[in-house]
Amino acid sequence: MRDFRDAKAMAQTMRTTLSAMGFKITVGQSLELIAKAFGVVDWNTLSAAIRPETAAAHERLFCSFCGKSPNEVRSFCEGSCSRQRHASQSCVFICDECVALCAQVNADTIGSTESARSP
């Protein structure tokens, strides 16, 4: 978990999943459940326990292709580069939107190549 927004996203996913199963819970209840899952008393304790410097690092992340931040997209794929300075740092990120665009470009390219080969 990088910062409190990740915990909130987990709570939203839990709420949506439970709702689909017929269990209606409030936003506050889902936040409290996430806090319990992390072994703390309540949401306030969890959000205070998440280190602020982690949030600052999260803000420096952006898609290497379109430049969007993690707050602007649904998910990020994290890659590494051959010239990494620190083993724990990644230097390449791609968002779900760019992955979808790349998949579409590949599908179009492969489709046009196969059409050209067909007699």
Side-chain angles (χ1 to χ4, degrees):
M1 179 167 39
R2 293 188 174 146
D3 67 19
F4 72 94
R5 288 173 290 214
D6 292 334
K8 284 189 171 188
M10 289 177 204
Q12 178 60 38
T13 300
M14 177 189 297
R15 186 170 182 242
T16 303
T17 303
L18 288 174
S19 179
M21 297 168 68
F23 300 100
K24 304 291 183 192
I25 62 172
T26 66
V27 172
Q29 289 170 323
S30 65
L31 292 170
E32 295 299 323
L33 287 170
I34 290 298
K36 299 277 189 221
F38 280 99
V40 295
V41 177
D42 58 21
W43 168 251
N44 290 335
T45 305
L46 176 63
S47 61
I50 299 171
R51 296 182 296 179
E53 62 270 12
T54 307
H58 188 62
E59 290 300 320
R60 291 190 299 265
L61 299 179
F62 58 91
C63 178
S64 300
F65 297 87
C66 69
K68 290 183 181 176
S69 74
N71 299 328
E72 297 174 286
V73 296
R74 286 187 303 264
S75 64
F76 260 57
C77 290
E78 187 173 344
S80 60
C81 55
S82 59
R83 296 181 185 155
Q84 261 180 293
R85 293 183 182 155
H86 303 287
S88 63
Q89 289 182 339
S90 293
C91 59
V92 178
F93 299 91
I94 186 168
C95 71
D96 60 297
E97 295 172 5
C98 287
V99 169
L101 178 62
C102 290
Q104 184 61 49
V105 168
N106 282 337
D108 293 346
T109 303
I110 292 168
S112 64
T113 303
E114 289 175 357
S115 298
R117 290 184 196 167
S118 300

